[in-house]
Structures are given as structure tokens and as C-alpha cells.
Amino acid sequence: MRRTAAATVLLCCCLALAACGSRRGEPPKLDVTAPPAKAAAYTSPSGDVSFSYPENWAVQPRAAPGVVTVSTGGASATIWAYRSVSLVADPKAAQQALQRFLASLKTRDPNFVVSSTAVTTVFQRPAFEVQGTTVIQGRPTEARSVHAFIGVGEYVLDMLADPDKFDEINRTVFSPMLVSWHFLGNPPSPDQAAGGSSSPTAPASP
């Protein structure tokens, strides 16, 4: 699969799976995850991506193809915006993209154990999600990665937390964030992204 690692930031996208374009970063500090506060709104500088998140979570903008990471202690969520090299306009195409992703996952993170997959919709657009567990620098981590497609854009929301805390954080933070997530289909061109990174569900190179 054609893809290039993006620059790393604290807590985000250690997910070899969903990280879709990241190197392994610093492991979460699992003992300092703060309860979520009231929601705040985030809109990317380009106006292409927006979502809601707990106002007491730290916000770290990322270089393209990254958009932003929001995190607290042992939990983080990172959004990526890629130029898709394959048109994904319906559930059948989303299923094909999911299968390409799962095939690449076996190589990129042999430790990743998939617990569930689904083809769905996000912001009324075709999407798929993968959830499972992996090991990040010796620490078990549960991950949920959602990939949504619009026009030439592939948008990825990677969500990480300690397995013991994941269900609660998924219910109180990640799922509401996913519901609030909007994107307009104007991702950066490959030459604007770090290393010209291609989308994580691109067909494998010949």
C-alpha cells in the first residue's frame, strides 16, 4: 500500500491500524485520563473539518495529512484528511476499501487483533470502521478507526484508549465526537502533505 509516515505528536496515532499514516508515538499515560467537560467546537483553519470535543482535552494541530489531535492522559482522537486514489461513493466501494485496509493492517501492525468491522455512513457519506486491540510500546491499547469518503477525500478518525477505560470514553467522548464530525471534501493535495502521503486505503502498489 502506498503511504508515507506523517510526523508524530504526543499520544496520537500510535495506531498502526488506524493511524493510517503515522509512526508510533509516545504511549498514553493511562492513569491521568480526565473526565470530559462540556463540549467545545473545533474547525480546522481551512474550514474543511469540524467537530465537537471536551473543552478540557488538549488540542494539537497536525501537519497535513493530519488535521488535529485532541487528547487527555490515556485517551486521544486524531483526524486525518487524505486525497483518495479510489472513488468510494457507495457501500460496495466502502466494503472494498475496508478489505484493502484489513489486508494492509496485517503487515503494518501484526499485533493488532480485530474485534469488529462495519460498513456504515458518517455525515451521510459511505464509511467503514475497524475496532480492536494492539500493543503500543508495551501497553495494551484499544483502537477504533473510522474512515469516511466524500468526493476525492478520505477522512479518518482514529480513537485510542486504555482497554479498561475504552467503553466509557467511547460512549462519553468518541461517539459524540463522531456524530458531530463534518467534512467538506477539500483535503490537501499530496504535494501539500508530509511526504506526499497517499490515502491509507489506496490499492497496493504493483
Side-chain angles (χ1 to χ4, degrees):
M1 185 174 72
R2 296 170 296 183
R3 52 190 294 275
T4 303
T8 57
V9 294
L10 182 65
L11 293 179
C12 76
C13 299
C14 316
L15 221 200
L17 125 61
C20 316
S22 68
R23 297 188 182 117
R24 292 181 184 272
E26 291 297 323
K29 297 178 181 178
L30 301 179
D31 57 345
V32 293
T33 302
K38 67 180 182 180
Y42 178 87
T43 300
S44 63
S46 67
D48 187 39
V49 174
S50 63
F51 62 94
S52 296
Y53 69 99
E55 67 174 3
N56 61 335
W57 284 40
V59 177
Q60 175 63 59
R62 296 180 60 85
V67 176
V68 66
T69 294
V70 294
S71 63
T72 181
S76 68
T78 297
I79 291 177
W80 306 82
Y82 294 90
R83 290 269 172 170
S84 177
V85 298
S86 299
L87 183 64
V88 177
D90 54 41
K92 181 178 179 180
Q95 180 66 45
Q96 293 169 341
L98 169 61
Q99 294 307 312
R100 291 194 298 270
F101 184 76
L102 292 174
S104 73
L105 180 57
K106 293 179 181 179
T107 299
R108 290 186 290 116
D109 188 358
N111 291 319
F112 198 91
V113 177
V114 176
S115 59
S116 66
T117 66
V119 171
T120 183
T121 58
V122 174
F123 194 32
Q124 299 182 333
R125 302 293 175 174
F128 70 79
E129 71 171 88
V130 175
Q131 187 167 329
T133 56
T134 188
V135 177
I136 298 174
Q137 296 190 354
R139 291 177 175 172
T141 301
E142 188 155 354
R144 180 185 182 192
S145 184
V146 178
H147 299 236
F149 302 86
I150 176 173
V152 298
E154 176 175 354
Y155 293 84
V156 182
L157 175 56
D158 285 336
M159 297 158 278
L160 306 175
D162 171 55
D164 292 339
K165 300 177 181 177
F166 186 90
D167 287 347
E168 180 181 358
I169 296 171
N170 188 47
R171 177 180 58 82
T172 60
V173 178
F174 294 155
S175 290
M177 184 182 298
L178 182 62
V179 171
S180 71
W181 185 27
H182 291 180
F183 36 84
L184 301 181
N186 298 308
S189 62
D191 59 355
Q192 294 174 307
S197 182
S198 63
S199 73
T201 56
S205 301

